[in-house]
Amino acid sequence: MKGTEWSGGLSPKEAQDALEAMMAWVDRMRQQGQFVAGSPLEPVGSILERGKSTLIQDGPFIESKEAVGGYFIINAASLDEAKQIAMECPPIKHGLFIEVRPIVNACPIAQRLNIEM
């Protein structure tokens, strides 16, 4: 299995070992001042569009190619450093997908319109 369901093909012991290794990875990031925040996300939510709301639900659906299972916010000097930190996440070797993106300092639309927020 891949993506957010990385533990599906592991035995309970292997999954426990991987989760403990991940928690140790997070603790190392905390000690090094790299960890800012992180949390798993519930598998249900809503997509909001003008005039309507659509329920979303993660699951073992054929049409679902990927899902966001959680997030980490880390301190890194560059995108390359952030990618190096992410590659150390233990469940990645079991198929966990990690997307690494920088957080912008200001709303791009507000910047384009010269609106201070």
Side-chain angles (χ1 to χ4, degrees):
M1 296 199 132
K2 294 191 180 263
T4 60
E5 292 296 321
W6 59 268
S7 65
L10 303 179
S11 72
K13 173 72 170 123
E14 291 170 324
Q16 180 179 344
D17 290 348
L19 190 55
E20 288 174 358
M22 185 168 176
M23 297 312 296
W25 173 71
V26 170
D27 285 342
R28 275 194 311 278
M29 285 195 300
R30 272 192 184 104
Q31 291 169 3
Q32 295 170 357
Q34 296 169 320
F35 181 85
V36 175
S39 184
L41 298 174
E42 290 286 348
V44 295
S46 294
I47 297 175
L48 304 175
E49 297 178 59
R50 184 177 179 169
K52 63 182 178 177
S53 173
T54 305
L55 175 69
I56 56 171
Q57 184 169 341
D58 293 345
F61 310 125
I62 292 171
E63 70 274 8
S64 176
K65 293 184 179 180
E66 57 188 52
V68 178
Y71 69 92
F72 289 106
I73 298 174
I74 62 170
N75 283 319
S78 66
L79 188 58
D80 285 337
E81 181 184 3
K83 290 190 290 187
Q84 288 176 325
I85 293 167
M87 287 298 295
E88 295 171 3
C89 182
I92 208 166
K93 68 182 175 187
H94 299 294
L96 174 72
F97 292 151
I98 298 176
E99 183 176 337
V100 178
R101 290 184 180 204
I103 296 174
V104 296
N105 293 325
C107 173
I109 297 168
Q111 286 181 321
R112 182 176 46 117
L113 299 173
N114 289 325
I115 297 171
E116 193 170 319
M117 295 186 81

